[in-house]
Amino acid sequence: MPIPEDQLQIWSHQGSITQSSATYNSIRNVLMAAGTPYATRAFEVFLQGSYGNATNIYAESDVDIVIRLDDIFHSDLDHLTEEEKAVQQGAFEDATYTQTDFKRDVMSVLTRQYGGAAMEGDKAIKVEANGSRRKADVIVATQFRRYLSFRSTVDSTYVDGICFFNAAGERISNYPKLHAAHLTAKHQNTANRLKPLVRVFKNMRSLMVNGGFIKPGTAPSYYLEGLLHNVPNRLFATRFEDSVVNVLNWYLQEAAKDDLLCANEQFYLLRDGYHTCWSPTDCNAFIAAAVQLWNEWR
């Protein structure tokens, strides 16, 4: 039998807001304090992730924070002509204060405030939970520019994002502000049904992991948001029961899977071998498990 509407309604509710907000504001104040080693540089602190996008559920406790250095930037020149690439590369000098320097300084600030609770992870600095403070991941990034044209420093177009490096030294670029803006626009265009439905699918995922239907990490929230961003607006129904069935059937029967985009619309959603893409095998496993959970609900 299908999952009943009253259960889906419960799952659609947003998770912690008060504690997440307090955690973000507390860490943001630490990062933006006047006495930091980077205080005189151009930088920005903002949210990304489930809490930042209002798709968090009660099972999710992390607050994802970005601190982005804007004094320097990395570039994607793939869309430029060879002539434009040469002009762009000759227009700027190498930075003397690098992303490595910035991350070292941010780490020193967080360590001074939180001691051993601040630890370097593969991609982010992790600040462990303590009391009412929720666990937080702090991404130390620089500005990232995906250039679309370049004639001079005052005559160019680019998509603005962030980039950072993992522990292996691999550069990872992303566009959290575009992701958030496109999710919000989609939410509004679906009569405010997108974000509650994302939370329904996240709660389904939690059950599927706990029940052994899928392995942990098979369906990260970022990719679930991206998947639902691709669903046609007409399939977001008044009842969650109808919406869930519509989404699953759309993916299985209609979706042009190779053409699906992440919510930022800068990367394909389903590809193997990319940090920014969802493995098609994992996506298919998630959908199959969701169908099984739906059909076997008791």
Side-chain angles (χ1 to χ4, degrees), residues 28-152:
R28 183 177 186 274
N29 289 340
V30 170
L31 293 171
M32 298 190 70
T36 66
Y38 50 81
T40 60
R41 301 188 179 274
F43 69 95
E44 184 179 2
V45 180
F46 55 92
L47 284 165
Q48 69 169 9
S50 296
Y51 168 62
N53 294 321
T55 61
N56 57 308
I57 61 175
Y58 287 101
E60 294 176 323
S61 60
D62 290 9
V63 177
D64 297 315
I65 302 169
V66 176
I67 178 168
R68 186 181 77 172
L69 177 67
D70 290 337
D71 277 347
I72 66 173
F73 63 89
H74 292 81
S75 305
D76 174 355
L77 307 182
D78 288 348
H79 295 278
L80 299 185
T81 66
E82 292 304 316
E83 180 180 358
E84 287 176 316
K85 289 178 183 177
V87 174
Q88 193 276 345
Q89 290 170 338
F92 301 101
E93 296 180 356
D94 290 341
T96 55
Y97 183 77
T98 67
Q99 200 270 351
T100 300
D101 298 325
F102 186 48
K103 187 171 184 179
R104 177 203 62 218
D105 288 344
V106 171
M107 184 67 193
S108 72
V109 168
L110 293 174
T111 301
R112 183 168 64 245
Q113 178 68 29
Y114 300 111
M119 300 170 288
E120 284 200 49
D122 179 45
K123 298 177 182 178
I125 298 173
K126 298 183 178 298
V127 180
E128 292 299 320
N130 184 23
S132 62
R133 186 182 74 228
R134 287 180 165 259
K135 181 181 177 183
D137 285 344
V138 179
I139 295 282
V140 183
T142 62
Q143 188 184 97
F144 186 75
R145 299 180 179 180
R146 172 174 275 186
Y147 277 101
L148 305 178
S149 68
F150 193 96
R151 296 178 180 83
S152 71

Side-chain angles (χ1 to χ4, degrees), residues 233-258:
N233 293 350
R234 60 182 169 81
L235 299 181
F236 289 81
T238 304
R239 290 171 55 81
F240 288 112
E241 286 188 43
D242 296 328
S243 293
V244 171
V245 171
N246 288 346
V247 169
L248 296 176
N249 285 337
W250 165 80
Y251 182 83
L252 293 169
Q253 301 170 13
E254 300 178 34
K257 298 177 182 59
D258 288 344

